[in-house]
Amino acid sequence: MLTKMLRPGSLRERIILFFTLLLLGVSAAVFLVVLPQISGIFRDHTFQELAGAERVLRRVIAQNQIRLAESASLLAADFAFRTAVTSDDQPTLRSALENHSARLGADVAMLLDLEGAVRADTLPSEAARQPHPLPSLIQKAQQEGVATSLAIMNGRAYQLAVVPVLAPDPIGWVAVGIELNDKFARELRTLLDVHVSFMLRAARHDFVGIASTQANTPLLDLTDAVRRSAHANNGIPAATLTIKDFDSRLSSIDSVDSESVLFVLQRTEASASEIFQPLISTLGLIAAGGLGLCLIGGALMVSFVTGPLDRLAAVARRIREGDFEARSETPGDDEFGEFAATFDHMLETIAGREKEILRLAYEDPLTGLPNRVSLQRELDNRAGAGTSFVLMLLDLQRFRLINSTLGYEAGDELLNIVATRFRSLVKATDFVSRTGSNVFAVICAMKDGDQVKMVADRLQDALSHRIFVGVQEVDVTAAVGAVQFPEQGSTGAVLLRRAEIALYHAKHANGGFCLYEPALDATRRDSLHLLGDLRRAEEKGELLLMYQPKVDLRRGKVTSVEALIRWRHPVRGMVPPGEFLPFAEQTGAIRRITRWVIGEAIAQIGRWEQDGLKLQVSINISARDLADDALVAYFASALLGSTRGASALCVEITESAMMEDSSVAFYSIERLRQLGIAVSIDDYGTGYSSLSYIKNLKASELKIDRAFVNDLDSSEEDKAIVRSTIELGHNLGLRVVAEGVETPAQLGKLCELGCDYAQGYLLSRPLTAEALINWVRDFDFSAVRSIKPTAVAPDGRVLAN
């Protein structure tokens, strides 16, 4: 019975039994010995917890910076966003910044030009006009590729990340930020279980609160206490303070311009000592009964009470040093055991969150592959080791079409399939990562440069095997850009940038592969200079249209021409269309050029009509133009002042342009037809479109590509292709035009096969609008079939041969 009484279950019962047996025992000893020690331990423990909370807060801020940098990189790499940056499309830029901020939960997003001026942002108009402290961040981003820091804007503190917008060289800067506001403080309160406040230094000894989880009155008390502490310590507040009922820990975070933000972590003293209030009350009542016995009981209570606390304090010290694996190892069902179990559970939760944050920072959540941050770290590690390797970037072609046609779920499934195939092909020591929406990276240890193409071929061949997304088979290929270490770059950042340059050229190379060489940098820089000049070419009047006649082979007359753009560059001279139009299509500048061509062609139709010449003008339309929702509206607007109307226009569209996004292309073409504009299928026979596309397109003209006309008089195969194309066009009610006619023999064959129109150097080279008037007046079709290619004077007159 006595044994059962001496082994009670709770701490309260043990204390009551102990003091009962010791005749009003240990209260004096507890007050003199135990309570000061307990108070000191728990006070130290409180500040240790606050110190631990500070470390976690700093990790959260660091992880936010990584997340902001990664998110800003994703936005800067987005093709549609870069297109909007290139075209300075303000509504699209602001919409993209707002949408990206909403998805990330960011409070501000900005686009700056290369000089640091704000081109678009999500700030209110009155805030957007204020100066932004970003030059230092931009300078840091120029040196390191990405910059993250704290910045003070308009009296508010932000975590900002700045990354370049690459095309692939910088064309601007994207900044994304999270404000240190009340919402952010409340989120930290939930995570850290302490009150969080942020302050800005208004003067040397003055601070202003900008965010807090405290109510107004405690926040005012806190602000006054910080000011007093700063005044007493030469402008620097103490690291720890006790303010009213709160134990407080103060620290600061430096911003990009050396301004500091002070954050204060607080916990009430009552929360630390609450568990001991019953003990204190009990001891107070017992103290009057027996001070003598308390001296004896106090010695026993010290070892009984402080033992578990010492163990918890030791664990707290290990946590303060960053060891989250430490555990209290305090068994039992009493209050100490319960407290120790709760403490251990808190540690496991914090450690788990930190591990998950690190995983999300370095891993692609969709495929489980390392992400771009991991790739950069791997490149730096391997470059530091000095061992030869090759970096390959693989861009999945037609991925956008699969996404838009089958849905994003199908695109995600395809990415997982591709990731699995790539992983299965490389060695365990190699590295595979996903760096963008449809871009993968592979690092292979390699000493022999001749093996690079072989490895690239193996990766490309992995996609040639049948791929099913659900029940739908899809066809996907990959363009590969490669760079070797150390021959072609000594750092991870340089290697990655040069691999992206090689990838850009691989997309337009035969076989879809390109190994970096220094000449590509010069080519890329030259293209960027050309793009800058192209933006100003329209304003300076450097663009002009030439017109190549289409001759009616039955009547021998000219009723239509094709408009062909030329660029008279003030330094380079006449720039061929093949040097600037493909680049304009990739950057989105083609839309502005197409609109200029439309306006100029319609105006020229009117001028010809005044000279008594009625001609239909054909204008070439690209896939990017067909995807422009405003294209048809621009045609309609440009035709408002025309006397000839839409029937004087014809749009020429290649098969590849229709195939890139067929649903969008067909919709745009149908709207053009409804407007009254004729439609011509250009370069027929070189693309991959089916006859159903030709039938559903409801075009009025079919153009045979020059590749089938070149050997028409000597190749039976080409002759059969041209004959069947003419018959197909006539059976579908289309007029058929042959391009690239250069010899009388070719012209004779086309007449024999029943072709409707011909176009080529035999008839005329492209002419200026003025020269074309003279050419039409002097043209004699009856003489063309028996002579050499027509010689044309600069003024358009047909010269005798």
Side-chain angles (χ1 to χ4, degrees):
M1 190 68 165
L2 180 61
T3 302
K4 290 182 71 176
M5 291 180 63
L6 291 174
R7 290 190 178 182
S10 69
L11 176 64
R12 181 190 298 271
E13 292 170 345
R14 284 197 292 255
I15 292 174
I16 293 174
L17 177 62
F18 181 77
F19 279 95
T20 301
L21 295 175
L22 291 180
L23 301 174
L24 306 175
V26 297
S27 59
V30 169
F31 280 109
L32 295 175
V33 179
V34 177
L35 289 184
Q37 184 174 357
I38 292 175
S39 176
I41 290 172
F42 269 84
R43 184 174 178 81
D44 291 343
H45 180 66
T46 297
F47 282 109
Q48 289 166 6
E49 284 188 330
L50 291 176
E54 178 187 346
R55 290 193 294 273
V56 175
L57 184 148
R58 291 186 181 274
R59 286 195 185 95
V60 169
I61 290 177
Q63 294 303 322
N64 279 349
Q65 290 175 335
I66 294 173
R67 182 166 62 93
L68 286 170
E70 185 174 353
S71 175
S73 298
L74 287 175
L75 176 59
D78 183 78
F79 182 80
F81 181 75
R82 287 186 294 168
T83 299
V85 173
T86 303
S87 62
D88 196 23
D89 187 344
Q90 285 294 320
T92 301
L93 288 174
R94 186 169 182 86
S95 175
L97 293 173
E98 290 175 348
N99 292 339
H100 197 75
S101 297
R103 287 194 298 271
L104 176 65
D107 298 300
V108 62
M110 294 184 286
L111 171 68
L112 303 97
D113 61 21
L114 294 177
E115 287 72 31
V118 178
R119 290 174 57 186
D121 60 29
T122 60
L123 289 171
S125 57
E126 63 275 7
R129 290 191 293 268
Q130 300 298 321
H132 300 299
L134 299 182
S136 301
L137 266 181
I138 291 176
Q139 183 179 9
K140 181 179 178 183
Q142 288 174 336
Q143 297 170 352
E144 302 177 7
V146 61
T148 58
S149 181
L150 202 68
I152 311 302
M153 296 192 302
N154 309 322
R156 298 180 179 181
Y158 294 87
Q159 282 186 263
L160 285 179
V162 174
V163 300
V165 181
L166 303 176
D169 288 339
I171 61 175
W173 303 93
V174 167
V176 180
I178 296 176
E179 183 181 357
L180 274 61
N181 53 20
D182 288 343
K183 177 185 175 185
F184 183 64
R186 288 193 296 271
E187 292 173 352
L188 292 175
R189 169 95 167 99
T190 302
L191 175 65
L192 305 177
D193 196 29
V194 297
H195 283 291
V196 181
S197 301
F198 294 98
M199 296 182 178
L200 286 180
R201 185 186 292 272
R204 179 173 180 82
H205 301 141
D206 193 16
F207 291 85
V208 177
I210 58 173
S212 179
T213 58
Q214 291 276 36
N216 289 335
T217 300
L219 180 58
L220 291 174
D221 294 337
L222 170 62
T223 305
D224 291 338
V226 172
R227 288 170 180 164
R228 289 194 300 272
S229 177
H231 191 275
N233 291 279
N234 196 26
I236 302 174
T240 58
L241 293 172
T242 299
I243 304 168
K244 292 294 180 67
D245 296 326
F246 289 92
D247 290 326
S248 306
R249 181 176 180 87
L250 290 71
S251 188
S252 64
I253 311 172
D254 290 333
S255 71
V256 64
D257 289 325
S258 300
E259 294 185 62
S260 62
V261 174
L262 186 70
F263 63 86
V264 184
L265 305 178
Q266 294 181 289
R267 173 166 284 175
T268 60
E269 294 178 336
S271 64
S273 59
E274 187 175 315
I275 191 173
F276 292 94
Q277 290 302 320
L279 173 62
I280 297 172
S281 301
T282 303
L283 292 177
L285 294 174
I286 297 175
L291 180 60
L293 293 176
C294 286
L295 295 175
I296 300 172
L300 299 175
M301 285 297 297
V302 167
S303 60
F304 178 75
V305 174
T306 61
L309 297 180
D310 286 338
R311 288 193 292 274
L312 288 174
V315 173
R317 285 190 292 270
R318 291 177 62 185
I319 295 170
R320 181 180 59 190
E321 296 167 359
D323 181 9
F324 286 93
E325 300 300 322
R327 295 296 181 267
S328 62
E329 299 180 358
T330 302
D333 297 328
D334 57 13
E335 287 85 346
F336 287 117
E338 183 180 352
F339 177 67
T342 303
F343 188 74
D344 289 345
H345 178 71
M346 179 190 70
L347 290 181
E348 291 171 359
T349 301
I350 294 174
R353 287 176 181 171
E354 184 177 14
K355 184 177 180 181
E356 180 64 13
I357 289 171
L358 290 174
R359 186 188 70 80
L360 292 175
Y362 294 102
E363 182 180 295
D364 173 35
L366 176 62
T367 62
L369 292 175
N371 60 14
R372 189 181 182 90
V373 177
S374 294
L375 172 65
Q376 187 67 63
R377 187 171 62 175
E378 182 72 13
L379 285 172
D380 291 338
N381 291 340
R382 295 199 180 213
T387 306
S388 298
F389 64 88
V390 61
L391 166 65
M392 285 179 279
L393 295 182
L394 299 97
D395 187 293
L396 300 185
Q397 306 296 290
R398 295 184 292 280
F399 179 75
R400 177 186 172 190
L401 176 62
I402 294 170
N403 249 353
S404 62
T405 304
L406 302 180
Y408 289 101
E409 294 81 3
D412 291 347
E413 184 179 349
L414 174 61
L415 290 173
N416 277 304
I417 293 172
V418 172
T420 300
R421 291 193 180 183
F422 285 168
R423 272 186 297 213
S424 67
L425 286 174
V426 300
K427 300 176 183 177
T429 55
D430 293 337
F431 185 85
V432 179
S433 70
R434 179 184 174 220
T435 64
S437 62
N438 62 323
V439 179
F440 290 83
V442 177
I443 301 177
C444 298
M446 190 174 299
K447 296 181 179 179
D448 187 358
D450 295 335
Q451 295 178 339
V452 176
K453 183 63 168 63
M454 182 177 65
V455 174
D457 288 342
R458 193 164 72 242
L459 292 169
Q460 289 176 317
D461 288 343
L463 303 180
S464 64
H465 301 293
R466 302 177 71 182
I467 297 178
F468 286 90
V469 176
V471 297
Q472 176 68 47
E473 183 175 4
V474 296
D475 178 28
V476 63
T477 58
V480 183
V483 62
Q484 291 178 273
F485 173 86
E487 295 89 344
Q488 295 158 351
S490 58
T491 67
V494 172
L495 289 168
L496 190 56
R497 181 177 64 83
R498 291 179 173 174
E500 289 173 341
I501 293 174
L503 179 62
Y504 169 82
H505 288 274
K507 293 178 183 179
H508 308 284
N510 291 330
F513 172 79
C514 180
L515 180 63
Y516 173 82
E517 55 187 37
L520 298 181
D521 267 329
T523 301
R524 189 63 177 159
R525 285 193 297 270
D526 187 61
S527 296
L528 287 175
H529 289 314
L530 200 63
L531 176 61
D533 293 342
L534 183 58
R535 289 176 180 170
R536 297 181 290 273
E538 178 186 347
E539 301 170 2
K540 295 181 178 180
E542 297 171 5
L543 299 179
L544 76 155
L545 285 183
M546 306 285 281
Y547 301 90
Q548 188 171 35
K550 298 179 186 178
V551 177
D552 187 334
L553 298 182
R554 290 186 174 84
R555 297 188 297 158
K557 298 196 178 290
V558 177
T559 59
S560 60
V561 295
E562 180 180 359
L564 302 169
I565 193 169
R566 297 293 185 265
W567 182 9
R568 293 173 298 195
H569 195 281
V571 177
R572 302 169 185 257
M574 194 67 76
V575 181
E579 289 188 14
F580 68 90
L581 286 184
F583 191 70
E585 288 193 35
Q586 294 155 16
T587 60
I590 191 66
R591 295 179 179 177
R592 187 172 60 254
I593 294 174
T594 299
R595 295 188 178 194
W596 179 86
V597 171
I598 293 169
E600 180 64 22
I602 292 175
Q604 186 58 53
I605 290 171
R607 290 191 289 268
W608 278 334
E609 187 174 15
Q610 292 176 1
D611 292 328
L613 190 62
K614 290 188 177 183
L615 295 173
Q616 184 185 62
V617 177
S618 295
I619 298 172
N620 291 283
I621 299 296
S622 69
R624 186 66 63 85
D625 293 321
L626 291 175
D628 184 0
D629 293 335
L631 175 68
V632 179
Y634 188 80
F635 264 108
S637 175
L639 285 167
L640 287 177
S642 172
T643 58
R644 291 283 307 280
S647 62
L649 288 178
C650 176
V651 292
E652 294 191 4
I653 303 164
T654 63
E655 295 178 86
S656 58
M658 292 186 293
M659 291 293 292
E660 186 163 320
D661 194 339
S662 59
S663 60
V664 174
F666 271 85
Y667 177 68
S668 296
I669 293 169
E670 179 60 26
R671 292 175 64 199
L672 289 172
R673 285 184 64 257
Q674 292 174 359
L675 200 61
I677 298 173
V679 177
S680 174
I681 302 173
D682 197 12
D683 298 338
Y684 178 75
T686 61
Y688 300 96
S689 62
S690 66
L691 293 178
S692 63
Y693 277 106
I694 307 302
K695 180 188 72 172
N696 295 330
L697 190 60
K698 298 178 182 179
S700 56
E701 184 178 274
L702 188 66
K703 297 189 73 172
I704 302 173
D705 188 72
R706 66 179 63 246
F708 304 109
V709 177
N710 288 339
D711 299 322
L712 180 61
D713 53 341
S714 60
S715 170
E716 290 298 324
E717 291 83 358
D718 286 347
K719 182 178 179 180
I721 292 172
V722 171
R723 178 190 293 112
S724 62
T725 302
I726 293 172
E727 292 175 354
L728 170 66
H730 289 166
N731 290 335
L732 293 175
L734 308 178
R735 67 186 183 194
V736 181
V737 181
E739 295 182 293
V741 179
E742 298 184 356
T743 67
Q746 294 170 350
L747 185 62
K749 287 291 184 183
L750 291 169
C751 291
E752 176 186 324
L753 295 173
C755 187
D756 301 308
Y757 288 81
Q759 178 182 349
Y761 282 6
L762 173 66
L763 303 167
S764 174
R765 292 176 178 271
L767 303 170
T768 63
E770 296 77 12
L772 182 69
I773 298 174
N774 294 327
W775 183 90
V776 171
R777 289 171 180 169
D778 296 343
F779 178 67
D780 182 6
F781 180 67
S782 61
V784 173
R785 296 180 61 177
S786 59
I787 63 175
K788 296 178 181 179
T790 307
V792 181
D795 62 357
R797 291 179 295 105
V798 178
L799 302 178
N801 290 281

